[in-house]
Amino acid sequence: MPLGGSECYTAQDMHGTYWIYTMGCQMNERDSETLAGLLQAEGYRPVGNPAEADVLLLNTCAVREKPEHKVFSLLGEMLRHKRERPGTVIGVCGCVAQVQAEAIRVAAPQVDLIIGPRNYADLPALLAAVRSASPASSAAACVALDSDRSIPEGLPAARTNTVTAYVNITYGCNNYCAYCIVPYARGPLQSRRPEDILREVQGLLDAGYRQITLLGQNVNAYGQDLDGAVDFPELLYRVDALCRGQRVRFTTSHPKDFSPRLIEAMRDLPSVCEWLHLPLQAGDDEVLARMGRGYTASRYREIVAEAREQIPGLALSTDVMVGFPGETEAQFENTYRLMEEIRFDQAFTFKFSPRSGTAAASMGDAVPEPVKQARLQRLAEMVARVARERNREQLGQEFEVLVEEERPKSPGQVRGRTRGNRLFILPGSPELIGRMVRARAEEAYLWGFKGRAVLPVG
Ligand code: SAH
Ligand code: SF4
Ligand code: F3S
């Protein structure tokens, strides 16, 4: 059943209804599927309107200040629903729950549940405890925040999409990049056992999924905490053996742990898409060193050159940050020039945002906001220009498009993605959803292409 679907149930239903709001990255999207799966296993049903839900969950992101602020404004709205329907349960999950539990309790003492990313298996028990308590005794929130707990196998998932599926391969992160809150929010690296991953992938293929995206904060670190027999390239070989005729993607790759064997795997494995998301963060060696990233600009350049040489048609995307503490104009120029030289197909650009508890938050030497803003704007303009140019260069080419959905508000058009992860819009009916179509690009945009099918391919 779709998460947040339009089915309406009332508070009189035997078990009740829920509504989940998800912020942040793919890990959170995948986690919300687990939260929904756990609730559905308890007999709860999704509703599309928070005013009608018995349980409201906010799955939060703490990566920058802006999403964190949004959590507190959304909480205000949720508390209004609770005032109108006093039995409503409000839960805060995700990364802000883990790192800002105290602030949540102070700002919104009416919140019933605060659950960190490693504790979702506790949701049914905590929810039952909250719902069975008398209003007077439920003043204090039920809190579960064991950030180093290991996440169990076999939690149910109510997936939102019928064509593409996320599969976690690792949880957490051990890297502690100086700016990043993720290791604090999600705990240490925990790799899932290969057999558990392969079982999940096989189950998804049996259910008709056509694209598997392997997820981890740093997929290249996969297996470092296991017995060492299976590293990430080896895992890809095993996943590909199950996924022939379908698609496999993975995100996020870290340049520090990137190996020649991964490039070989991407080159040789038919299901593995020619798409690499490889965050650069900065193109200046001194900034990279202070970020604790563990590579230099020239090492990054080398990986890209090797990957482009070995993997024809490779699409490359990245994340980059401006205004890291102490970043000089010359250092920013190094980032700008490297990005212009590499010509990414897509790049996400961010202004550094200090996160309390991280090393960078106490480095001092902050770059003034107007300077950050100007750098961001200059970089984002160049990135958009290059992405448009790269798409334009591919006009007239044929792509394999996996059709994922009907285009919202445009009946008669469907959209999907190329193997390089570019959006592709084409005329077509909903029967094409879940099919791979060969299509020619006729118009190029910043986000991808419009075109039409040449012939269906499977
Ligand atoms: N695991 C991934 C990224 C996770 S966070 C990796 O290692 O690259 C997603 C992106 O948010 C990062 O790549 C980074 O560019 C950005 N980001 C993380 N912390 C940030 C901060 N404090 N301020 C601004 N951007 C940040
Ligand atoms: Fe954050 Fe670095 Fe880990 Fe990515 S690798 S999640 S940027 S600490
Ligand atoms: Fe945000 Fe947590 Fe993902 S901080 S980016 S939701 S890992």
Side-chain angles (χ1 to χ4, degrees), residues 54-250:
D54 301 314
V55 179
L56 300 174
L57 296 184
L58 200 51
N59 194 5
T60 60
C61 172
V63 80
R64 283 170 290 276
E65 204 174 8
K66 213 161 143 196
E68 199 172 289
H69 280 165
K70 191 169 175 196
V71 170
F72 287 90
S73 69
L74 285 169
L75 261 181
E77 279 175 41
M78 290 164 77
L79 293 175
R80 267 200 305 284
H81 293 305
K82 192 174 167 96
R83 276 196 294 277
E84 277 155 30
R85 295 180 70 202
T88 307
V89 175
I90 295 185
V92 183
C93 307
C95 296
V96 179
Q98 186 68 45
V99 297
Q100 291 287 356
E102 202 41 47
I104 293 166
R105 291 169 79 159
V106 170
Q110 306 88 329
V111 166
D112 302 280
L113 297 166
I114 301 179
I115 310 181
R118 295 254 173 164
N119 284 81
Y120 295 148
D122 299 339
L123 173 68
L126 293 173
L127 185 54
V130 167
R131 295 200 82 182
S132 63
S134 71
S137 66
S138 67
C142 278
V143 180
L145 301 169
D146 308 310
S147 70
D148 52 1
R149 170 125 156 241
S150 74
I151 295 176
E153 286 298 323
L155 297 180
R159 292 182 191 266
T160 54
N161 188 307
T162 53
V163 180
T164 72
Y166 291 129
V167 172
N168 294 112
I169 63 166
T170 62
Y171 304 108
C173 181
N174 285 347
N175 286 335
Y176 289 92
C177 301
Y179 49 81
C180 187
I181 196 73
V182 171
Y184 305 90
R186 295 207 163 242
L189 176 71
Q190 180 196 336
S191 301
R192 291 178 68 199
R193 292 182 311 167
E195 54 272 32
D196 293 327
I197 295 169
L198 295 171
R199 192 178 314 112
E200 184 175 349
V201 168
Q202 188 59 59
L204 290 163
L205 296 172
D206 293 345
Y209 283 88
R210 304 221 59 190
Q211 177 177 288
I212 304 293
T213 303
L214 305 175
L215 282 186
Q217 292 295 347
N218 169 5
V219 290
N220 311 118
Y222 176 78
Q224 287 174 5
D225 56 326
L226 299 177
D227 59 12
V230 179
D231 61 4
F232 181 59
E234 177 58 28
L235 182 71
L236 266 188
Y237 278 91
R238 296 189 187 186
V239 170
D240 170 76
L242 301 179
C243 289
R244 292 291 164 89
Q246 319 304 339
R247 282 181 176 182
V248 176
R249 298 185 189 283
F250 54 88

